[in-house]
Amino acid sequence: MTDDNRRYGFEAFDCAPALRIEANERVMELQFASLKTRLDKIEMMMERLEKRLWLTVYGVVAVILAQAFQSILQVG
């Protein structure tokens, strides 16, 4: 018997524990892929939030500078 799938006259078969392990590995791969997708979305949201935060900071600084400039013009 030269067939690699046969051994001592018996056909190769998959046992239940091996099938369960393979199924668990596939589930874990899907879970990791889903987790990576969610993490990428969270990262994008954090970047947008950071941009908004800096825009707010620059806006507050601009208002403070405008008020300071306005008070300097009123004094002068």
Side-chain angles (χ1 to χ4, degrees):
M1 303 218 162
T2 59
D3 190 13
D4 291 336
N5 292 334
R6 294 177 177 245
R7 185 173 178 185
Y8 302 114
F10 297 105
E11 290 186 20
F13 67 95
D14 291 329
C15 61
L19 291 174
R20 187 172 36 204
I21 290 171
E22 289 176 8
N24 284 335
E25 287 174 352
R26 285 189 299 234
V27 168
M28 290 299 296
E29 287 176 10
L30 291 173
Q31 287 176 340
F32 279 121
S34 174
L35 183 63
K36 184 182 180 314
T37 302
R38 283 186 268 159
L39 286 174
D40 289 342
K41 287 181 182 179
I42 290 171
E43 189 175 330
M44 285 176 25
M45 290 188 324
M46 287 176 59
E47 288 176 5
R48 288 193 313 226
L49 182 63
E50 184 181 9
K51 289 178 184 177
R52 290 178 185 169
L53 178 66
W54 281 113
L55 184 62
T56 303
V57 169
Y58 290 139
V60 169
V61 169
V63 167
I64 292 171
L65 290 175
Q67 288 178 349
F69 185 70
Q70 185 180 13
S71 66
I72 290 172
L73 286 179
Q74 287 176 354
V75 171

